[in-house]
Amino acid sequence: MKNETTHFGYETVAEQEKARRVAEVFDSVASRYDLMNDLMSGGLHRLWKAFTIQRSGVRPGARVLDVAGGTGDLSLAFAKRVGPQGQVWLTDINNAMLARGRDRLTDKGYMLPVAQCDAEKLPFPDDYFDCVTVAFGLRNMTHKDAAIAEMRRVLRPGGCLLILEFSQVWKPLAPVYDFYSFQIIPRVGKLVTQDADSYRYLSESIRMHPDQESLKQIMEGVGLERVEYFNLALGVVALHRGYKF
Ligand code: SAM
């Protein structure tokens, strides 16, 4: 058997090793994940997620799948939007993140269906969802094209996939952004979670992730159509949207 390798941040690791290493990261940060998101982005991640919801076009009664949904920010916002006739599934590969997400949603009065699953093998039928979203999850996946193809499979014709992810920042901002990512974020991570390495991985994995145009091509390559992207915060983050027809 061929021994395939992939990236784990700047490290090259065997493909079978990546999922375990990613699981260690999210097991370690789950309890402080939401606090760290607010600290690292200065609260901006809330605006990026609100923009994602707004671009989804999701209406009351729709079926939505939140892939790599973690602690459930998008699931919660979609649940409010689709109302009692709709359906929102919170899914993630990691039990610690998912348990936290489920508890948060329950505390806010939303009992959503939850499934622990790998984005590369989704346990849902073909042509089922009106909208599939993945926020800040794709760059952790080993086979991004397989995961995107799987998300397309479960979309109904006319439905859309939204990918919110860190991307390539506007060039003149790169030195400041690099300083912030590699000098400040791991230190804040260490203070808050006692785990600088996980937050170093975060910064490295962002640099290894496909840029805006490359991700658009991957989406088109698996058959998504009318693919476009919106740069947010000068490309720190991009929202990609594509449709299945
Ligand atoms: N979507 C949430 C948000 O925006 O706050 C959580 C994002 S968190 C940075 C990334 C999530 O991706 C983690 O919860 C992790 O467990 C999940 N993840 C990583 N690899 C995955 C995979 N192959 N399938 C499903 N989820 C995965």
Side-chain angles (χ1 to χ4, degrees), residues 26 33 49 68-70 92-94 97 117-119 135-136 140-141:
F26 289 103
Y33 177 80
K49 286 169 180 161
D92 198 285
I93 200 169
N94 185 286
M97 293 290 283
C117 56
D118 186 342
F136 305 112
N140 301 296
M141 294 171 194

Side-chain angles (χ1 to χ4, degrees), residues 49-220:
K49 286 169 180 161
F51 182 73
T52 304
I53 306 287
Q54 189 235 323
R55 290 284 148 168
S56 70
V58 160
R59 300 219 172 99
R63 293 176 183 162
V64 179
L65 173 64
D66 187 7
V67 173
T71 56
D73 282 349
L74 282 185
S75 291
L76 176 62
F78 276 122
K80 291 178 181 166
R81 195 169 254 238
V82 302
Q85 307 307 323
Q87 207 181 95
V88 179
W89 280 82
L90 170 63
T91 68
D92 198 285
I93 200 169
N94 185 286
N95 187 48
M97 293 290 283
L98 208 49
R100 217 174 156 75
R102 189 196 49 219
D103 292 350
R104 263 182 91 209
L105 293 172
T106 309
D107 288 349
K108 292 182 195 289
Y110 289 87
M111 305 282 286
L112 303 188
V114 170
Q116 185 174 358
C117 56
D118 186 342
E120 294 182 29
K121 294 180 213 84
L122 293 171
F124 299 102
D126 296 354
D127 304 335
Y128 188 77
F129 291 100
D130 298 292
C131 177
V132 177
T133 56
V134 54
F136 305 112
L138 186 67
R139 70 176 188 285
N140 301 296
M141 294 171 194
T142 309
H143 306 102
K144 296 178 202 351
D145 49 352
I148 295 172
E150 191 58 356
M151 295 180 220
R152 180 187 176 279
R153 178 185 68 75
V154 301
L155 270 180
R156 68 159 173 83
C160 73
L161 170 64
L162 293 159
I163 302 178
L164 182 66
E165 189 52 272
F166 293 102
S167 204
Q168 194 166 92
V169 71
W170 183 52
K171 279 264 163 353
L173 199 69
V176 179
Y177 183 54
D178 282 349
F179 179 80
Y180 179 69
S181 308
F182 291 104
Q183 301 302 325
I184 311 285
I185 285 186
R187 287 187 168 85
V188 178
K190 183 158 192 221
L191 267 178
V192 177
T193 66
Q194 283 73 53
D195 180 0
D197 288 346
S198 290
Y199 284 93
R200 196 165 300 112
Y201 160 74
L202 169 81
S203 300
E204 292 179 3
S205 65
I206 292 169
R207 299 308 185 282
M208 300 307 290
H209 190 66
D211 64 19
Q212 286 86 335
E213 279 298 320
S214 309
L215 180 54
K216 180 174 183 237
Q217 280 172 24
I218 297 174
M219 291 172 73
E220 288 168 343

